[in-house]
Every structure is written in structure tokens, then in C-alpha cells.
């Protein structure tokens, strides 16, 4: 009697596996094993080659720490272990003897890279005009302070002297066509390894040199290697990089003497408009980079000499002497200085444009002050003064020198046109906070010419580094 197939199947499913195998033909068993192998083995191979990743609760010191960065947060800069106070009464203070040419703790405690900064300008931004733009918020600044940088002079030490607002520190310059990277001290020092740089000019030029010293102090403190005790001519060396930095005092840029050398209070100067100031022009052939600037001292009483003869004067009230405008002397002095560079320098030179003042409510000697706490916007009305005429002269003389430069081998002359950017920063000056707020000193004049450190002037070195990079 033949049973239905479904009954056979039901009984078979109820039997143990070994019994089923006993009743199954050997060919069927072999076929089943082959099919099993073809299905399971590839799956096992795939699983072993690509294991499933599970989250781990175990961490290591190498993966837990933040990534290294070339920028330092203020919380690290406030560490007592790097507290260095500047000495008193020095044009640019020397680092204390126990900190000279030592590495700072900048790299020993890595921090995250600020999200607003970049170390490179993209290829499509290389032709960006760095000098047209706007100030935008930057909560990651400042990158040093008055307890970590020895190079800040008292009259620039705004926070030490009680300035109540700190918002002026938290802006950065944003060119219209690109994003200007924040100054990278490690990158700068690598770029200038084995080279030398000089700043020539007045106290605003020195102000920029001090800013650079402070920015670089996050990596290394330099050694003072000045050859003389003359505080107007300072030289530092960053021994780990063999980089030498010079600050050369020449507020008029040309040969200058006091009208009465025997009177230390004499404020009348003789300017030899067609003669070099050899104190700096004799040094620049040793430099690879040069930053030159001037302007503010030309508002003083001066006597002009040309061909060793008096050609006129400014604010001098001398009898039988032609009264000449400020622009006459400044134009000729700048022209002579640029000629000195064309004749004696073969590196990369920058003419940094005039730094505007921001006195409001009166001139500097009649109660003028600068009390604003934020930058101007470009669409705001900004008071204009003689500063912009000085800037126009600089642009004209630069263009003339640029034409002459084309005949020279090796020399590169560039205009660092920071005037417009700084015109928007009335909030960046010391004002009344360039001295102690005591009864004896509160009557001192307000300083709306120099710049607080840290402050907007640090942007000049952002721009300087970027311009150097484009010349590589």
C-alpha cells in the first residue's frame, strides 16, 4: 500500500536527525554537505574579514588628549608658570636674563585649533586684496596678554592699567575676498629660519615690532644680542631658528639733529631732506626683510635743509625763513628713504602705511580722547583729517619707487596698506589707560596714537606673514 507523500514527510520531520540520515541515500547526503559548504563558508569569510566594530569604553592617553595646535587659548597664557613682567623705562624691554632664548610652554600643552583661523589662503583667494574688508568678531583672541609678554611697554599696557572693557580685543580683520589666517608663530619662525628682519621708523614701528615679539613668545623668547647699550637700536636672536630681529629708531627716516644739542628739552629738529640716516641705511644690506614706516613726528617744529642749506621750516617762527607745509618735508624725506632702500637693499621690503590717530572732543593737547569701545563699520561716518593726506603721499611715492625697483635685481618692494583697516579701530588705543590711574597721573594726556597690546595692531603681523608667504 502506497502512503501519501505528505504522511511520509510528516513522519520524517518527527525523526531525529541521525535517523533521517540513516534512511537517506548517500548521494543525497553528499549533495547536502556540498550545498551547506557553499552557503556557510563565504559568509564566515566575509564576517572574519570585516568584523563588526563595537564602541569601546576603554581610552588611552594618546587618544584622549586634544589635538596639537599652533594657537594658544588665553586660559593657558594666564598660567603663573609663564608670568613675565616687563622692566620699566625701556623703549623695548629686554627679556629677563633667566628667560632668554628658552622655549616657552607653547608646545608642551597642546590645544585645539581655533575654528576661525586658517593657516593657508586657498589658491582661488591668492589675488585677494588684503586691505579692503571689515572687522568681524573673534572670540578666540587675544593670543597673549600682559603677564606672558615682556615686550609690552607701560603706555601700551591697557589691561594692566585698568581698562574696563575687553571687547576691543575680540575682533579680527576679514578681507572682502578671502579669510586672512591668524598669525601662526611656528610657521613664521620656520619661514625666517637663518634670516633677519628689521623694523625702521618711529614709536608706531616699534609698536609693531613689540606685537611681533609678543606673538612669537608663544614659541620662544629671544636673546638680546644688541651690540651697544643704545635702547633705540635693539637686536634679538631666536637661537633655535637663528632668526635675528632688529628695531631701529628713526622717526624722520632721514638725517636729523636737534637745533640745540645742548638743550635736552629742545623740540626743534633739523631735517636734512636729501641725506640718508646712516644709522639704519648702513645696516639694511645685512637684512632679508625690512619694514619701514613713519609720519607722526612730521607734525613737530622742524627746519628743512637741502644741499646743506636751509630751504624752509615748519612751525618754527624763525625770521627770514620760508614757512613750508608738513607735506613738503614728509614727501621729500620719504622719497629719500625709499631711494636708500633701492640703492642698499636686496631683500623683501615693506612700506607700511600711516597709522591714523583717533582724538575726539579736542586735539591731543586740549583734552582729546578716544573712548569708543567697538570698531566702526564701513558705512559709518568717520572723521577725516590730515592722516589721509599722509597716506596719499605714501601711495604716490611707493608707486614711483616701484617703477625704479623694476630696474633692480633681487629687490622686492611692497606696500602694506593698513590705513583703512586701522581707520575703523578708534577703540584700539590706550586713551587714558596708558598709565596708572592715580591722582598724580590721571591728568596725563590721553594716547590716541599708539595701540594697546594685545590689540588691533596684531593684525599687521597677520598681514605681514601672509604677504611674506605670497613672495616665496
Amino acid at each position: 500500500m502506497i502512503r501519501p507523500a505528505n504522511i511520509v514527510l510528516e513522519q520524517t520531520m518527527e525523526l531525529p536527525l541521525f535517523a533521517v540520515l540513516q534512511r537517506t541515500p548517500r548521494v543525497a547526503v553528499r549533495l547536502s554537505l556540498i550545498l551547506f559548504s557553499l552557503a556557510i563558508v563565504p559568509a564566515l569569510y566575509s564576517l572574519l574579514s570585516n568584523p563588526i566594530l563595537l564602541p569601546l569604553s576603554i581610552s588611552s592617553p594618546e587618544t584622549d588628549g586634544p589635538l596639537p595646535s599652533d594657537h594658544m587659548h588665553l586660559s593657558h597664557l594666564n598660567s603663573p608658570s609663564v608670568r613675565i613682567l616687563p622692566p620699566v623705562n625701556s623703549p623695548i624691554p629686554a627679556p629677563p636674563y633667566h628667560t632668554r632664548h628658552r622655549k616657552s610652554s607653547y608646545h608642551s600643552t597642546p590645544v585645539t585649533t581655533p575654528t576661525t583661523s586658517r593657516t593657508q589662503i586657498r589658491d582661488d583667494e591668492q589675488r585677494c586684496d588684503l586691505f579692503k574688508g571689515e572687522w568681524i568678531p573673534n572670540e578666540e583672541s587675544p593670543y597673549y596678554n600682559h603677564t606672558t609678554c615682556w615686550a609690552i611697554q607701560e603706555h601700551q599696557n591697557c589691561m594692566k592699567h585698568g581698562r574696563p572693557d575687553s571687547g576691543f580685543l575680540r575682533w579680527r580683520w576679514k578681507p572682502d575676498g578671502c579669510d586672512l589666517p591668524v598669525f601662526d608663530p611656528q610657521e613664521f619662525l620656520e619661514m625666517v629660519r637663518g634670516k633677519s628682519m628689521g623694523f625702521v621708523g618711529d614709536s608706531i614701528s616699534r609698536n609693531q615690532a613689540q606685537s611681533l615679539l609678543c606673538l612669537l613668545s608663544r614659541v620662544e623668547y629671544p636673546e638680546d644680542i644688541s651690540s651697544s647699550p643704545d635702547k633705540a637700536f635693539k637686536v634679538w636672536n631666536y637661537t633655535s631658528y637663528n632668526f635675528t630681529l632688529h628695531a631701529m629708531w628713526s622717526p624722520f627716516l632721514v638725517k636729523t639733529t636737534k637745533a640745540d644739542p645742548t638743550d635736552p628739552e629742545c623740540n626743534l629738529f633739523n631735517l636734512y631732506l636729501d641725506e640718508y640716516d646712516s644709522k639704519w641705511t648702513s645696516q639694511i644690506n645685512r637684512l632679508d626683510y625690512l619694514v619701514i614706516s613713519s609720519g607722526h613726528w612730521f607734525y613737530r617744529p622742524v627746519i628743512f635743509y637741502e644741499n646743506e642749506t636751509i630751504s624752509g621750516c615748519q612751525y618754527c617762527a624763525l625770521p627770514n625763513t620760508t614757512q613750508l607745509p608738513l607735506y613738503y618735508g614728509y614727501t621729500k624725506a620719504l622719497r629719500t628713504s625709499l631711494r636708500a632702500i633701492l640703492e642698499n637693499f636686496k631683500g623683501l621690503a615693506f612700506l607700511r602705511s600711516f597709522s591714523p590717530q583717533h582724538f575726539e572732543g579736542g586735539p591731543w593737547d586740549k583734552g582729546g580722547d578716544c573712548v569708543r569701545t567697538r570698531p566702526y563699520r564701513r558705512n559709518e561716518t568717520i572723521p577725516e583729517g590730515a592722516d589721509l593726506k599722509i597716506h596719499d603721499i605714501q601711495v604716490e611715492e611707493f608707486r614711483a619707487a616701484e617703477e625704479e625697483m623694476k630696474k633692480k635685481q633681487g629687490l622686492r618692494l611692497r606696500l602694506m596698506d593698513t590705513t583703512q583697516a586701522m581707520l575703523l579701530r578708534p577703540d584700539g588705543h590706550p586713551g587714558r589707560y596708558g598709565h596708572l590711574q592715580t591722582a598724580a597721573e590721571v591728568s596725563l594726556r590721553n594716547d590716541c596714537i599708539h595701540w594697546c597690546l594685545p590689540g588691533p595692531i596684531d593684525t599687521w603681523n597677520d598681514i605681514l606673514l601672509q604677504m611674506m608667504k605670497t613672495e616665496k
Side-chain angles (χ1 to χ4, degrees), residues 147-204:
T147 68
T148 64
C149 181
W150 50 267
I152 302 177
Q153 286 185 268
E154 289 299 294
H155 69 274
Q156 303 154 345
N157 216 336
C158 307
M159 303 312 291
K160 176 184 175 181
H161 292 312
R163 179 163 174 168
D165 63 300
S166 61
F168 74 98
L169 299 171
R170 297 183 173 89
W171 298 86
R172 68 183 182 96
W173 179 246
K174 172 66 174 67
D176 288 337
C178 59
D179 189 14
L180 177 66
V182 172
F183 185 88
D184 184 332
Q186 186 71 52
E187 181 182 23
F188 178 90
L189 286 170
E190 288 294 345
M191 182 176 295
V192 297
R193 183 183 290 274
K195 298 181 180 180
S196 57
M197 173 180 287
F199 287 84
V200 178
D202 54 20
S203 55
I204 306 299

Side-chain angles (χ1 to χ4, degrees), residues 95-326:
Y97 71 93
H98 62 279
T99 64
R100 288 181 180 175
H101 65 80
R102 76 171 175 86
K103 286 293 185 73
S104 75
S105 57
Y106 172 69
H107 285 295
S108 62
T109 306
V111 295
T112 55
T113 304
T115 55
T116 56
S117 65
R118 288 166 33 198
T119 58
Q120 297 290 337
I121 285 184
R122 296 192 308 266
D123 290 340
D124 60 348
E125 297 175 341
Q126 288 296 328
R127 297 186 179 278
C128 168
D129 186 345
L130 297 176
F131 311 115
K132 294 180 181 179
E134 193 86 78
W135 291 92
I136 64 173
N138 178 24
E139 292 302 320
E140 292 169 349
S141 59
Y143 301 100
Y144 63 89
N145 63 27
H146 68 280
T147 68
T148 64
C149 181
W150 50 267
I152 302 177
Q153 286 185 268
E154 289 299 294
H155 69 274
Q156 303 154 345
N157 216 336
C158 307
M159 303 312 291
K160 176 184 175 181
H161 292 312
R163 179 163 174 168
D165 63 300
S166 61
F168 74 98
L169 299 171
R170 297 183 173 89
W171 298 86
R172 68 183 182 96
W173 179 246
K174 172 66 174 67
D176 288 337
C178 59
D179 189 14
L180 177 66
V182 172
F183 185 88
D184 184 332
Q186 186 71 52
E187 181 182 23
F188 178 90
L189 286 170
E190 288 294 345
M191 182 176 295
V192 297
R193 183 183 290 274
K195 298 181 180 180
S196 57
M197 173 180 287
F199 287 84
V200 178
D202 54 20
S203 55
I204 306 299
S205 172
R206 186 177 65 207
N207 207 170
Q208 183 180 3
Q210 290 164 326
S211 166
L212 182 60
L213 286 165
C214 289
L215 291 168
L216 295 178
S217 69
R218 293 181 286 157
V219 174
E220 183 172 318
Y221 299 117
E223 180 181 0
D224 189 342
I225 60 170
S226 306
S227 59
S228 76
D230 188 352
K231 295 178 181 180
F233 291 83
K234 301 292 291 183
V235 185
W236 298 273
N237 181 252
Y238 289 82
T239 56
S240 298
Y241 299 86
N242 192 25
F243 168 58
T244 306
L245 182 62
H246 301 248
M248 294 174 275
W249 175 258
S250 184
F252 292 107
L253 298 180
V254 293
K255 178 182 175 181
T256 306
T257 61
K258 282 194 172 185
D260 184 359
T262 63
D263 181 6
E265 302 298 324
C266 177
N267 289 318
L268 180 62
F269 295 88
N270 299 321
L271 265 61
Y272 299 84
L273 298 177
D274 52 0
E275 297 186 43
Y276 299 159
D277 180 357
S278 60
K279 290 181 178 179
W280 69 268
T281 59
S282 63
Q283 303 294 318
I284 60 176
N285 60 348
R286 309 173 188 175
L287 303 177
D288 299 286
Y289 301 97
L290 179 66
V291 182
I292 184 174
S293 58
S294 67
H296 287 284
W297 276 58
F298 284 84
Y299 290 91
R300 296 170 179 251
V302 291
I303 302 173
F304 300 125
Y305 283 80
E306 296 174 77
N307 297 319
E308 302 182 346
T309 304
I310 294 178
S311 58
C313 74
Q314 169 187 292
Y315 310 135
C316 68
L318 294 177
N320 303 318
T321 304
T322 304
Q323 295 292 318
L324 295 171
L326 176 152

Side-chain angles (χ1 to χ4, degrees), residues 61-71 73 106-107 109-114:
E62 296 161 346
T63 58
D64 255 3
L67 296 175
S69 166
D70 285 335
H71 301 278
H73 288 302
Y106 172 69
H107 285 295
T109 306
V111 295
T112 55
T113 304

Side-chain angles (χ1 to χ4, degrees), residues 334-335 338-339 342 351 395-408 411 413:
L334 180 58
R335 186 176 301 166
L338 293 174
R339 186 172 71 247
L342 291 170
L351 171 61
V395 172
E396 292 170 9
E397 293 302 316
F398 167 78
R399 288 174 178 165
E402 192 177 31
E403 289 300 314
E404 290 296 317
M405 177 195 65
K406 295 176 182 178
K407 306 173 186 177
K408 298 280 292 183
L411 171 65
L413 179 63

